[in-house]
Amino acid sequence: RRRAPRTPRSSPTRRSPDLPVPKALGGGGASLPQARKAISAIAKGEPSTALILVMQYLQHTRLQDSKTWPAHLRTQVAEDAVRNGALINALRVEPDLGTPARGGLPATTAVRTAEGWRISGRKIYSTGSHGLSWFSVWGRSDDADPLVGAWLVPKDSPGISIIDTWDHLGMRATCSHEVVFDNVLVPLDHAVSVSPWSAPQAELDGDGFLWMSVLLYLLTLLFVVVFVVDDGVIIAVAVVVVVHVVVVVVGCLFVVVVVDDDVSVAVVVV
């Protein structure tokens, strides 16, 4: 009986959850090319796992540079990934609103109380749901000019339930189920990335867009194509799909070139 090849000790996939966490906090301190290699290797064997890790990397890559997250929460989430392999993902999509990328106020509401924030709402397409330790929940406050953005919620908080609605062929293991928040209490400083509805702030800087473009739009779509199209046609087809998706989502044309360890991006406003 043939044994599956063992992962080399030097392989980045051995420490996948904390790969982009800075070395100063005990993580891998990975660059984008290193993260791309890890996702590529994992996706060849299990695309659902790769997608969950992409979400993890997108949350961690700019976390320590955040000007809105309290320092102790940045450190706590990062060290949890290092010590426990803890996963985090953004829960943004709702049954009525859809994705917030198209605009509109979320129905998920955070009410400020003397104890902290009380969060209620429903999220769908919650990739990694059962396996996550932290939810970054997109919501709104109940103010006249509501705060809109992300609240950090520990998954084991009372009032959270996961409804197993996700049963999609080929991607079942992403566990992208519905998550329900019923009066969930979090401390006031867990409003980690919010801004007034009347004065919204950008969620991602240039580096954040770069990581998203390469890891999410290029690699995950590339692996959808790779099992269908012969070599030589793969790159052409994947790039066409990526350009279409990124233009729709961010209003810019990202041309992503990945050669060995080098990543180059040209941005053309359309």
Side-chain angles (χ1 to χ4, degrees), residues 175-187:
C175 291
S176 302
H177 300 304
E178 182 174 356
V179 180
V180 179
F181 300 86
D182 184 10
N183 209 31
V184 176
L185 177 65
V186 297

Side-chain angles (χ1 to χ4, degrees), residues 39 51 54-55 58 92 99 101 204 208-225 235 237-252 254 256 258:
I39 294 297
L51 181 57
V54 165
M55 301 306 179
L58 293 179
R92 296 167 57 86
T99 173
L204 293 174
F209 271 121
L210 176 57
W211 277 70
M212 182 177 66
S213 301
V214 172
L215 294 185
L216 184 57
Y217 296 116
L218 180 60
L219 289 179
T220 55
L221 289 174
L222 180 60
F223 284 110
V224 171
V225 178
I235 294 178
V237 174
V239 168
V240 168
V241 175
V242 169
V243 166
H244 171 73
V245 172
V246 176
V247 167
V248 170
V249 173
V250 301
C252 295
F254 280 76
V256 182
V258 181

Side-chain angles (χ1 to χ4, degrees), residues 40-63:
S40 175
I42 293 166
K44 288 177 182 177
E46 221 304 292
S48 293
T49 301
L51 181 57
I52 292 170
L53 281 174
V54 165
M55 301 306 179
Q56 168 88 342
Y57 291 2
L58 293 179
Q59 292 298 307
H60 275 283
T61 181
R62 304 299 293 158
L63 178 58

